[in-house]
């Protein structure tokens, strides 16, 4: 357990520690109750976050000059009530009666440095308090220098008023267990000389193979509570090692950064290699996704990180509340067909009132709703149906998901069952301009909330024409609406289905060719092949997709999601895929995996949908412990460019932050914060945006991450599982 520590030096004036304790622990010793500046003293406590200390550490000289002061200090300590008494540790440096020679000053400085380092270690991240009051000026100077090396919460000081010095000396130790009398107003005034000092990064460098500066390399014997301890200071001296490191700081930092880069094959944001070693160590050792109690705090932290989402289908972006929100965009059109829809809606209202969610779910044919009322254009029947749940979206959630509302049950349900969960959205809902625009707004809002800086949206415009819009206009509407949010840069990828008619594939190919003529205005950056991999092999699609290859359009192919690795091989060698969606079976072919690493082919992993469709072990869900292990760790260790994406965030009940968290949860032992940053970098690095845009995205993300990680509260989520 970490202790809050106040460290001070002391000469012949024993009153310094009680005066400091009255400042830090007013509830235990209200020494300044009668002080005319009591309000100002309290303001100091609040402004600098001065919290009660549990231990007071005192460093002083040996010999007779300070012996009396030490005895009086121990008397004061003994006179304090046990419940209000701090632990008092006193070190006396043997053989030093005065600081009259360079050798004596050096020994005292070494004692101060060593004890200050151990105080910082005992106090942990909160840091100790250091006092600049007490002893010779050189002692205070040494302690201030030590603060610059080991860090502290604050430097505190007590100003003594000379006109009260005689009266203060006449006070007995017992007089310092209660408020000072009113006639001594202003005799002693505590203040804060400086706020927080951060630990010097040079301490954590492995300088020339000698390792970081640690307490076990420069030990001290610990004084027991209330019993002075005389110590000898052996060489080598810590402060001399620190001075040597300071002189060679530039070299050590360069050596450190080089070792990091070589050790990680430069697989992370380059700016992170310039962070202080302590922060890098924290990024590398802090693991996410293994502790249920920290889940909400970890999600809040992940939400702050800048991200790219490269694999997100417009047809699966909405959860049940968002489906209702999208449907509401058609309200005015629904009103025009109110008479025709009346019987349809009244029938469904009766069912909703008289049947359970389970019964409704069993009898619901979501696809049949699309044309349920003759003469009513799509998607108005679906929109009107969804609006029946406007005041009770939780009922819709129960109907759509049923047993899958439970996270543990939503595992390994298979592709068909998963796909059915999206029947009320996608091509069922996005058949008019109003709904398409509303869906894009929902997607961008979710992206903004999760600090997504770059988003590639997959869509199939030719599937959204049953409401009367031509496919080109559908694509234009999507592009217009995605472009309205300047905080999220977007690109569009057209998705063709393996299991559809080849004519439908060609519709998207021809539409892409038309829009590529406007490529400076229309953000089409890639072409995708999705759907049931068993329906049509990638090799069979080469001729149909050749026009896109001739246009040098980027290719990403769904492969290896639920079929053997041969599907991935075909996507790479027949369709020249630069990225592979999912790629769960890639590990079955080591030669192909090596090809991915050599060519920089990226993997678009989608942990939630992978877990829900195929089934994998989740660290936070005990009922999944019998499932197979997610291959993400294997791919990272193989040096592949792994990215993490949302796939169908609405269907999967996820968002970009939750996807990173799920990736950690599916990885044995979780993922470190450093690894998560590397995954995020892969997303920006392998985006289909132009090179200049990618570089700008990476630079901006680096800047944001550096600002986040150098904030003292960056890793608060580690220690507080109650506060999100």
């Amino acid at each position: 357990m970490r202790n809050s520590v106040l460290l001070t030096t002391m000469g012949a004036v024993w009153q310094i520690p009680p005066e400091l304790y009255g400042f830090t622990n007013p509830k235990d010793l209200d020494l300044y109750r009668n002080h005319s500046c009591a309000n100002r003293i309290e303001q100091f406590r609040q402004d600098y976050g001065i919290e009660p200390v549990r231990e007071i550490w005192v460093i002083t000289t040996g010999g007779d000059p300070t012996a009396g002061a030490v005895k009086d200090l121990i008397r004061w300590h003994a006179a304090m009530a046990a419940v209000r008494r701090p632990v008092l540790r006193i070190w006396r440096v043997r053989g030093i009666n005065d600081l009259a020679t360079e050798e004596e000053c050096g020994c005292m400085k070494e004692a101060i440095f060593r004890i200050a380092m151990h105080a910082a270690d005992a106090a942990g991240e909160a840091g100790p308090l250091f006092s600049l009051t007490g002893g010779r000026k050189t002692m205070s100077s040494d302690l201030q220098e030590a603060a610059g090396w080991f860090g502290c919460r604050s430097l505190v000081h007590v100003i003594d008023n000379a006109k009260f010095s005689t009266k203060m000396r006449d006070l007995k130790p017992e007089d310092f267990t209660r408020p000072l009398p009113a006639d001594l107003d202003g005799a002693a005034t505590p203040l804060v000389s400086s706020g927080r000092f951060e630990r010097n990064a040079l301490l954590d460098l492995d300088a020339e193979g000698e390792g970081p500066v640690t307490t076990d390399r420069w030990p001290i014997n610990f004084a027991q509570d209330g019993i002075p301890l005389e110590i000898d200071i052996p060489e080598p001296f810590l402060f001399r090692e620190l001075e040597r490191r300071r002189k060679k700081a530039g070299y050590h930092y360069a050596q450190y950064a080089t070792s990091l880069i070589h050790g990680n094959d430069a697989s992370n944001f380059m700016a992170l290699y310039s962070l202080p070693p302590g922060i890098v160590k924290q990024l590398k050792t802090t693991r996410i996704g293994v502790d249920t109690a920290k889940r909400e705090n970890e999600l809040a932290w992940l939400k702050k990180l800048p991200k790219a989402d490269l694999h997100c289908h417009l047809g699966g972006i909405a959860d049940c509340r968002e489906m209702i929100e999208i449907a509401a965009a058609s309200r005015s059109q629904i009103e025009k067909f109110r008479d025709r829809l009346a019987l349809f809606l009244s029938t469904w209202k009766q069912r909703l009132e008289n049947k359970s969610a389970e019964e409704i779910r069993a009898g619901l044919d979501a696809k049949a709703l699309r044309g349920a009322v003759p003469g009513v254009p799509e998607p108005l029947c679906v929109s009107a149906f969804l609006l029946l749940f406007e005041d009770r979206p939780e009922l819709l959630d129960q109907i759509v998901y049923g047993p899958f509302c439970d996270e543990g049950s939503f595992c390994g349900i298979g592709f068909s069952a998963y796909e059915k969960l999206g029947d009320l959205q996608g091509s069922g809902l996005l058949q008019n301009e109003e709904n398409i625009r509303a869906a894009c707004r929902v997607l961008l809002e979710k992206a903004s909330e999760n600090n997504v800086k770059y988003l590639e949206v997959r869509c199939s415009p030719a599937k959204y024409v049953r409401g009367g819009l031509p496919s080109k206009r559908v694509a234009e509407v999507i592009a217009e609406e995605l472009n309205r949010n300047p905080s999220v840069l977007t690109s569009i990828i057209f998705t063709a289905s393996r299991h559809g008619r080849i004519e439908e594939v060609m519709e998207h190919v021809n539409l892409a060719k038309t829009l590529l003529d406007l490529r400076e205005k229309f953000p089409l950056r890639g072409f995708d092949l999705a759907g049931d991999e068993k329906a049509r092999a990638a090799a069979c699609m080469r001729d149909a997709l050749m026009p896109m290859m001739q246009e040098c359009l980027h290719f990403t192919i769904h492969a290896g999601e639920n079929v053997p690795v041969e599907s991935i091989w075909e996507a790479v060698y027949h369709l020249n895929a630069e990225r592979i969606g999912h790629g769960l079976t890639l590990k079955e072919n080591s030669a192909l995996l090596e090809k991915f690493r050599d060519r920089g082919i990226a993997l678009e992993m989608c942990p939630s949908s992978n877990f829900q469709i195929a089934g994998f072990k989740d660290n936070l869900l005990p009922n999944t412990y019998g499932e197979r292990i997610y291959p993400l760790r294997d791919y990272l260790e193989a040096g592949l460019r792994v990215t993490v994406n949302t796939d169908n965030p609405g269907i999967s009940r996820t968002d970009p932050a939750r996807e990173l968290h799920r990736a950690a949860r599916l990885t044995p032992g979780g993922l470190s914060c450093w690894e998560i940053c590397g995954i995020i970098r892969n997303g920006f690095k392998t985006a289909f945006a132009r090179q200049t845009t990618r570089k700008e995205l990476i630079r901006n993300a680096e800047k944001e991450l550096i600002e986040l990680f150098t904030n003292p509260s960056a890793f608060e989520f580690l220690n507080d599982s109650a506060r999100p």
Side-chain angles (χ1 to χ4, degrees), residues 202-311:
L202 285 170
L203 296 171
D204 299 310
L205 294 181
D206 184 6
E208 299 175 322
E210 296 177 4
V213 175
T214 56
T215 53
D216 59 334
R217 292 179 60 190
W218 279 273
I220 59 167
N221 293 322
F222 264 75
Q224 296 183 26
D225 186 15
I227 303 176
L229 175 67
E230 287 201 355
I231 57 172
D232 296 305
I233 304 297
E235 294 196 24
F237 280 0
L238 168 61
F239 78 86
R240 288 177 181 155
E241 164 63 15
L242 298 182
E243 185 58 32
R244 185 180 69 82
R245 290 192 176 216
R246 192 197 306 275
K247 290 179 180 178
K248 301 186 71 174
Y251 167 73
H252 289 320
Y253 275 123
Q255 185 185 53
Y256 161 73
T258 300
S259 67
L260 278 180
I261 292 171
H262 289 170
N264 290 272
D265 297 321
S267 60
N268 219 319
F269 290 99
M270 294 301 294
L272 298 188
Y273 295 98
S274 67
L275 284 170
I279 296 178
V280 172
K281 180 180 179 181
Q282 199 154 26
L283 288 169
K284 288 187 171 185
T285 57
T286 301
R287 306 198 79 78
I288 282 176
V290 292
D291 187 345
T292 303
K294 292 181 178 178
R295 176 175 177 172
E296 293 306 313
N297 282 355
E298 291 172 348
L299 284 170
W301 186 82
L302 290 168
K303 206 169 187 178
K304 297 176 184 177
L305 305 182
K307 308 171 192 68
D309 190 351
L310 307 182
H311 190 128

Side-chain angles (χ1 to χ4, degrees), residues 3 5-8 17 54-60 73 77 86-92 115 122 220-229:
N3 293 329
V5 176
L6 167 65
L7 172 62
T8 185
R54 296 177 59 194
E55 300 195 6
I56 297 177
W57 293 13
V58 178
I59 307 171
T60 188
L73 179 60
H77 183 249
V87 172
L88 178 63
R89 303 188 193 277
I90 304 171
W91 287 268
R92 306 188 71 197
I115 294 172
I220 59 167
N221 293 322
F222 264 75
Q224 296 183 26
D225 186 15
I227 303 176
L229 175 67

Side-chain angles (χ1 to χ4, degrees), residues 462-463 465 471 501-512:
K463 290 186 176 182
V465 298
S471 59
R501 295 179 297 109
I502 196 67
E503 290 79 10
E504 292 176 350
V505 175
M506 295 309 301
E507 281 186 64
H508 284 105
V509 170
N510 292 330
L511 176 61

Side-chain angles (χ1 to χ4, degrees), residues 307-313 452-458 489 491-493 495 526 528 556 558 578-581 602-606 641-647 656 679-689 694 697:
K307 308 171 192 68
D309 190 351
L310 307 182
H311 190 128
C312 178
H313 293 276
V452 172
K453 302 300 185 182
Y454 177 76
L455 172 66
E456 291 183 356
V457 182
R458 302 186 184 213
L489 179 65
S491 294
I492 290 175
I493 296 176
T495 298
D528 174 30
T556 172
H558 283 65
E578 300 160 67
R579 301 196 316 235
I580 292 293
L603 286 169
E604 303 160 355
M605 303 196 79
C606 305
R641 287 185 172 177
V642 176
T643 68
V644 167
N645 312 276
T646 57
D647 201 3
I679 289 170
I680 289 173
R681 174 185 178 269
N682 289 340
F684 290 117
K685 189 79 174 176
T686 58
F688 286 165
R694 291 199 304 272
L697 286 166

